[in-house]
Each structure stands twice: as C-alpha cells, then as structure tokens.
Amino acid sequence: MSTAGLARTRVRRADIVAAALELFADKGYLATTMDDIGRAVNVRGPSLYKHVASKQDLLVEIMETSIETVLRDHRVAVGSTDDVGDQLRRAVEAHVRFHARHRLEAFVGTRELRHLSEGARAAMAARRRDYERGFRVLVERGVAEGRFRVGSVRLTTYSILDMGVGVSVWFRDGEEFSVDEIAYRYGDLAMRLVGAA
Amino acid sequence: MSTAGLARTRVRRADIVAAALELFADKGYLATTMDDIGRAVNVRGPSLYKHVASKQDLLVEIMETSIETVLRDHRVAVGSTDDVGDQLRRAVEAHVRFHARHRLEAFVGTRELRHLSEGARAAMAARRRDYERGFRVLVERGVAEGRFRVGSVRLTTYSILDMGVGVSVWFRDGEEFSVDEIAYRYGDLAMRLVGAA
DNA sequence: GCCCCAGGCTAACAACAGCTAGCCGCAACG
DNA sequence: CGTTGCGGCTAGCTGTTGTTAGCCTGGGGC
C-alpha cells in the first residue's frame, strides 16, 4: 500500500551502490543506516538485503572498483610514453582526473578505509601502497635520469599525491574549472615540484 | 573490587581529552565508545561524566583548541616579516609543523568535521575558511608584487594546503625526517609551486 | 489462466552506546 | 574524629541499527 504501489521501482544493485556511495560520502559509513540507503532508492531498509549481503559489502564494492579504476588509469598513463617527464605528468593528470571525476569514490576511499573489515582493509592498503610506489618510482627515475631535481623523493611524491587527493574534497562540477583544466594545471604543478618546469 | 582498588588513578580532564584524541584518530569518533575512552584512563565509561558533559564535548574541545593553535601560529608566522616570500614560506612551515607535531589533532580536525553538532561545525568551518583565506591572500600578494608566478591562485593555494595536511596522515615521530626537516622541505616545495624558487 | 518467485513489506531481535541515577569509599579539612 | 564531597562504581533506561523471519503481491512464463 501507500506510495510503494505506484513507485513500481526497479531497483537494481547498481542503484543501491550509487545511493550508498553518495550517503557514505556525505555522512560517513557508520552514520549511514540501511534505512537511509533504502530511502534513497524508494525502498525500506530490510528490502535491500534482497540485493546486497550487508552494509559492509556495499563499502567493499565501492572501494574495490574504485582502486581498480585508479590503478588501470595509472598503468595506461605510464604506459603511453617512455619519457619520464611525460609519464609523471600523465600519471598526475590521471590521478587528478580521477579525484575530480569520481570525487565521491575517492573521498570514501580515503576516509572509510578503517571501517573496512580486516581482510578487505589489508587488501586495499596493499593496493594503495602499490599505487604510491608507482609514483615514487617515476620520481626516482626522473632524478636518476637527471630530469628531475628534488630535495627528497619521498616527500615530493607524497606532496604530489596529497595535492591530488585534495581535489576530491573541494571539487564541484560546473564551477570555475573543468576536470581537464584541473588535471592540466596540476600536471604543471607537479612538474614544478620535481624541478622539471 | 578487582583492579580498581590499586589503580588509585587521579584522572584529570586533560587525560581524558588526550585519550579521546588518540581514539578518535585511531578508530574515528563514531566508532569510539565512552567505555573505550574510560578504559584508556583506567575508569569505567560512566565515570567520565564526572569530568565531561558528553562525548560531543570532547570532540568540540579537541577541534577548537586545535584550530586556535593553528591560527595563532599562522599569525605569528605571517607577522614576522614583510617579505611575501618569507611570509609564505614561514606560513607553510608553521602549517606543516602543526600537521606533523599535532598530527592526531590535525587528523581528527579534518576527518571528524561532520560529526560536530550543527553549531560547532558552522563555527569550525568558518575558522577553517579564514585560515585558507590567509594563504590565498599571501599567494595573491606575491603574484601582485611580481614575486610569484602561478597558473591559478586558487589551485596553487589548495595544493600548498593539501600537501601540508597530508603530512598528518603519514608522519611518525622518530622516522626518517624530523618535524623541522619536513617543515623546511615543504617550505621549499611551496616556493617551487608559486614559482619563486 | 495458473503458478512461481523476485522483490517488496512489517515485525522483531539482539547488540550496543550514550547517558542518568543512585550508591559508596576515602582523603582532606575543620 | 566527624563530615563532606570528589570521583569512582554498577544498574539500567532509551534509542538505534544491522540483520533475519516470514508474509504478500503482481507480473511473466508455461
């Protein structure tokens, strides 16, 4: 009865995940209830269990597809050229592009790591370390080839990564900058950081 | 009875706040229970209410003293010279120093903003905007005086701030770098970002 | 036209967490 | 020494949340 009748909603798993993503990003994982998620897809909380095993599952799915995307984009960027300078620039562009375009995923990905169950968290942490290493290796090679000049590879790498991550916090679509503009400009900034400007 | 007898613990408010800080940073505000905090100071959860009005109060106290410190340090740094370059450099050093030395406060400060009650959150958000503006103004002036050359004041400012914030995530005392080393190096990095190297 | 089951719903449970109530011991002070 | 109150403690209330159980409906396949 009530409104459920007319809202013959075909709720697919993807819709639920999308709703969960938005809520996790907005209120945080713990503060989001299954009822919240249900409401966002016009369903009562318990009905979600017809599509999803648990709330934790939603978080895991969000974070895993997210890191997978990032890693793939990174590989593509780095594989697209042999010039370290271009590799770093493109890797940064991909990094920033992701953190702008998928800002919710990125946001949840960094903020809710600790609410992942033991196993999933370990796996995610490893992936993220891989990703970081990818950048560090680039900076190192640039230095070795005499193309970059940095005070500390580690600090420079962290700086590049962190400023990209920051984009996911303040970016809003349709404001001053487009995703591409931001990607390019951050590419420039990264070049400055490694002393290759 | 039990162990409580011998552990004649004099629990002061400051100890409780310190314990809460550590737990909030480690597990997050929502995931931390009053019992957790009590356990950290050798007391049962409910006993905390003899010293503290609520869990929320603990968060508010942590975040307010934290932002107050940052703003004070910032003012001191900027007020110590008239040269924009030095001002920015010192502001960055102060920024990074805080995020390293008080990494838990900094971490909680950014992560738990949303779990602040309505009023406190608005106040904190305003303070944080002030802080950001402080940096933006410096970058703007540097550009106006022809000392800096940046693609976008806004993006450059965000980058500087975000890379400093990142320090609070990975910094550990007694590892590769000391707080001062990091502060100096990040000062250099910021100079590079504004094109004043 | 009948049956089946995907996918909704409500009820309810169990675990908790924040917080209050109310008790008690002991150290300090007069 | 008596008393007072700080600062513990336990019991317990209340509200919430993830999740399960079990019911019901309507549309698609035979």
Side-chain angles (χ1 to χ4, degrees):
Chain A
M1 55 155 166
S2 79
T3 62
L6 55 145
R8 192 103 318 276
T9 355
R10 187 140 291 274
V11 175
R12 288 171 324 283
R13 195 165 204 280
D15 296 321
I16 298 175
V17 175
L21 170 59
E22 208 136 342
L23 285 161
F24 290 169
D26 186 42
K27 324 173 41 160
Y29 175 71
L30 288 184
T32 300
T33 73
M34 289 302 269
D35 281 339
D36 289 336
I37 301 172
R39 197 171 311 121
V41 294
N42 287 314
V43 142
R44 309 292 132 177
S47 301
L48 296 172
Y49 288 87
K50 287 284 157 71
H51 306 274
V52 169
S54 66
K55 182 176 150 184
Q56 174 72 206
D57 254 32
L58 285 168
L59 184 59
V60 170
E61 172 155 345
I62 287 169
M63 299 198 50
E64 283 187 345
T65 69
S66 182
I67 191 77
E68 231 52 67
T69 305
V70 175
L71 285 170
R72 187 161 10 90
D73 290 356
H74 180 78
R75 274 192 296 268
V76 170
V78 173
S80 67
T81 170
D82 281 332
D83 181 278
V84 219
D86 289 342
Q87 284 181 316
L88 181 60
R89 183 183 284 277
R90 287 180 194 172
V92 170
E93 286 176 5
H95 180 67
V96 169
R97 227 183 283 272
F98 177 84
H99 281 80
R101 222 195 291 281
H102 301 284
R103 50 178 291 267
L104 300 187
E105 287 92 328
F107 192 77
V108 170
T110 59
R111 284 322 227 240
E112 307 293 353
L113 242 187
R114 56 179 153 200
H115 296 124
L116 235 31
S117 62
E118 188 54 49
R121 185 171 61 249
M124 274 294 304
R127 304 295 233 153
R128 302 192 128 234
R129 260 193 305 278
D130 289 348
Y131 184 62
E132 271 183 32
R133 183 161 39 241
F135 278 87
R136 183 159 42 241
V137 165
L138 282 181
V139 175
E140 262 160 14
R141 245 197 32 245
V143 170
E145 294 184 15
R147 299 284 307 282
F148 302 161
R149 183 163 315 153
V150 305
S152 155
V153 170
R154 189 168 159 232
L155 298 189
T156 307
T157 305
Y158 282 158
S159 294
I160 290 173
L161 286 168
D162 286 336
M163 72 193 216
V165 170
V167 172
S168 68
V169 177
W170 55 261
F171 181 75
R172 292 293 179 287
D173 230 345
E175 279 191 4
E176 188 178 357
F177 297 105
S178 72
V179 172
D180 284 335
E181 271 175 315
I182 293 178
Y184 298 148
R185 290 195 188 277
Y186 270 75
D188 291 342
L189 289 171
M191 288 301 113
R192 286 186 174 195
L193 284 182
V194 297
Chain B
M1 56 155 164
S2 83
T3 61
L6 55 144
R8 193 105 315 278
T9 355
R10 188 143 289 275
V11 176
R12 287 174 321 284
R13 195 163 204 279
D15 296 321
I16 298 175
V17 174
L21 170 60
E22 208 136 341
L23 285 161
F24 290 168
D26 186 43
K27 325 174 40 161
Y29 175 71
L30 288 184
T32 300
T33 71
M34 289 304 269
D35 281 337
D36 289 335
I37 300 171
R39 197 172 311 120
V41 293
N42 287 313
V43 141
R44 308 295 130 169
S47 300
L48 296 173
Y49 289 89
K50 287 287 157 73
H51 305 274
V52 170
S54 67
K55 183 176 150 184
Q56 173 72 205
D57 254 32
L58 286 168
L59 184 60
V60 170
E61 172 154 345
I62 287 169
M63 301 198 48
E64 283 189 344
T65 69
S66 182
I67 191 75
E68 230 53 65
T69 304
V70 175
L71 285 171
R72 187 159 12 90
D73 291 356
H74 181 77
R75 274 193 295 270
V76 169
V78 173
S80 67
T81 168
D82 281 332
D83 181 279
V84 217
D86 289 341
Q87 284 180 317
L88 180 60
R89 182 183 285 275
R90 287 179 193 171
V92 170
E93 286 176 5
H95 180 66
V96 169
R97 226 183 284 272
F98 177 83
H99 280 81
R101 221 194 292 282
H102 301 284
R103 51 178 289 269
L104 300 187
E105 287 92 328
F107 193 77
V108 170
T110 60
R111 277 340 216 234
E112 308 292 356
L113 241 188
R114 55 178 153 203
H115 296 125
L116 235 32
S117 61
E118 189 55 50
R121 185 172 62 250
M124 273 295 303
R127 304 295 232 151
R128 302 192 128 234
R129 259 195 305 277
D130 288 347
Y131 185 60
E132 271 184 34
R133 183 163 36 242
F135 277 87
R136 182 158 44 241
V137 165
L138 283 181
V139 175
E140 262 160 13
R141 243 196 33 241
V143 170
E145 295 184 13
R147 300 284 305 282
F148 304 160
R149 184 163 314 152
V150 305
S152 155
V153 169
R154 188 168 159 230
L155 298 189
T156 307
T157 305
Y158 282 158
S159 294
I160 291 173
L161 286 167
D162 286 335
M163 73 193 215
V165 170
V167 172
S168 68
V169 176
W170 55 261
F171 180 76
R172 291 293 179 286
D173 230 346
E175 278 191 4
E176 189 178 359
F177 297 105
S178 72
V179 172
D180 284 334
E181 272 174 314
I182 294 178
Y184 298 148
R185 290 194 187 279
Y186 271 74
D188 291 343
L189 290 170
M191 289 300 114
R192 284 187 176 195
L193 284 182
V194 297

